[in-house]
Amino acid sequence: LEKRIPVPAKPGELTELATVFNRLLHQLQQQFEREQRFVSDASHELRTPLTAFRGHLKLLKRWGKDDPEILVQGLEAMDQESTRMERMVVQLLTLARTGHTETKKEPLNLSALVKTVIAQWPASEDVSVAAEVGEGITVTGDAEQLRQVAVILLENAQRYTEAGSITVRLIEDGTSVRLEVKDTGIGIAPADQEKVFDRFYRVDKARSRVSGGTGLGLSIASELVDHHQGDIRLESELGKGSTFTVVLPK
Ligand code: ADP
């Protein structure tokens, strides 16, 4: 792709054309590199659970017939690894699609949407979920995509809170609507706070892994919020908890 057009010395239409062309070429090249990196990261991430899966399979083939404990443990591990792979594939497809699918621009009742997500949330003994959802808050957008954003933030709040509480808040002010998901979990150190929105970034790979994380949730959420001309913010203190706030224009 390194075929730039030499920019003529004399200013004029040709100079402008060459500059525009070169800029486009540069953008195309960057896009191409980003996609290549994405494919190579994705393959690497998919190989990890697959390698673990095959490791357990090998053990099972060898010892599983004679040792019921190995059999049970192996099957459990294979179940987990394959579930994780499936999640990752679904999320990768979502990411691949977000660039192409149209984001609907329909008036929708965000209060009702958020309430439904919370009502259907599986109860947990150790982590309680409280809701402070304003009535009749509406935005223009894509219901399925916004539901997905809420689910990703709630899943994370639960995943990174051992015992404690989650508060989901939906507030409206003059020009914007804010969806807050606040937890009292492990928190995120300042140095990691910007990176958590990057694809595949996980503060603690092992922890994310055992809890079924893929490192893709927040990158999907931030793309979907982008599609709504919104913004996603994070405030967090290590050991105290995190608050993710989605700000949508009204
Ligand atoms: P994952 O599937 O690993 O949760 P995400 O993209 O959703 O991937 O999040 C990226 C990383 O950000 C997580 O691995 C975790 O380290 C951190 N993170 C996300 N949400 C929270 C939270 N509510 N509390 C603490 N850490 C979080």
Side-chain angles (χ1 to χ4, degrees):
L1 268 168
E2 254 321 320
K3 288 214 180 69
R4 309 187 128 240
I5 294 189
V7 180
K10 231 170 66 195
E13 277 180 356
L14 260 182
T15 313
E16 255 173 65
L17 210 61
T19 311
V20 168
F21 183 84
N22 285 340
R23 198 185 313 133
L24 281 175
L25 206 61
H26 180 66
Q27 283 171 356
L28 209 63
Q29 186 166 11
Q30 278 188 326
Q31 179 65 23
F32 183 65
E33 279 166 14
R34 263 200 301 272
E35 296 198 349
Q36 265 189 333
R37 202 173 325 125
F38 179 56
V39 170
S40 88
D41 285 351
S43 324
H44 175 82
E45 295 290 338
L46 282 169
R47 275 184 78 169
T48 312
L50 189 59
T51 305
F53 186 94
R54 297 194 50 155
H56 291 292
L57 189 63
K58 235 184 187 159
L59 277 177
L60 273 190
K61 272 173 88 175
R62 202 144 170 202
W63 311 105
K65 280 193 291 297
D66 312 314
D67 189 334
E69 203 173 318
I70 288 188
L71 182 71
V72 171
Q73 276 174 5
L75 287 176
E76 179 57 34
M78 281 161 68
D79 190 9
Q80 266 179 31
E81 296 296 347
S82 57
T83 306
R84 215 167 76 82
M85 262 189 88
E86 188 184 21
R87 256 178 74 92
M88 202 180 282
V89 170
V90 170
Q91 289 190 322
L92 283 170
L93 284 173
T94 309
L95 265 181
R97 266 193 231 115
T98 50
H100 311 290
T101 48
E102 209 189 323
T103 300
K104 290 188 190 137
K105 297 264 178 289
E106 283 168 354
L108 60 96
N109 186 334
L110 201 56
S111 306
L113 187 147
V114 171
K115 279 186 185 165
T116 311
V117 170
I118 296 169
Q120 291 171 350
W121 204 251
S124 144
E125 264 182 28
D126 304 314
V127 184
S128 62
V129 180
E132 295 171 20
V133 177
E135 291 295 329
I137 298 179
T138 56
V139 290
T140 308
D142 189 305
E144 183 44 42
Q145 293 189 1
L146 293 177
R147 196 193 59 82
Q148 214 172 339
V149 171
V151 167
I152 289 169
L153 297 182
L154 253 168
E155 271 181 352
N156 278 349
Q158 190 141 33
R159 181 174 297 140
Y160 301 104
T161 304
E162 242 147 58
S165 61
I166 301 171
T167 311
V168 182
R169 224 177 253 134
L170 184 67
I171 328 158
E172 163 175 56
D173 60 30
T175 53
S176 62
V177 168
R178 287 204 308 277
L179 172 69
E180 262 179 42
V181 180
K182 180 181 164 99
D183 66 59
T184 58
I186 62 174
I188 302 167
D192 290 311
Q193 288 181 10
E194 272 197 17
K195 298 189 213 148
V196 293
F197 296 99
D198 294 347
R199 287 171 181 182
F200 301 113
Y201 187 82
R202 282 155 290 179
V203 176
D204 178 348
K205 279 205 169 204
R207 186 181 186 117
S208 157
R209 231 188 104 154
V210 288
S211 53
T214 59
L216 290 173
L218 287 179
S219 59
I220 293 176
S222 81
E223 278 201 26
L224 296 178
V225 170
D226 260 3
H227 289 184
H228 288 81
Q229 285 74 48
D231 198 12
I232 185 162
R233 296 169 196 163
L234 161 61
E235 268 174 72
S236 185
E237 202 178 323
L238 206 58
K240 291 244 166 87
S242 314
T243 307
F244 285 86
T245 308
V246 174
V247 185
L248 296 171
K250 264 217 290 223

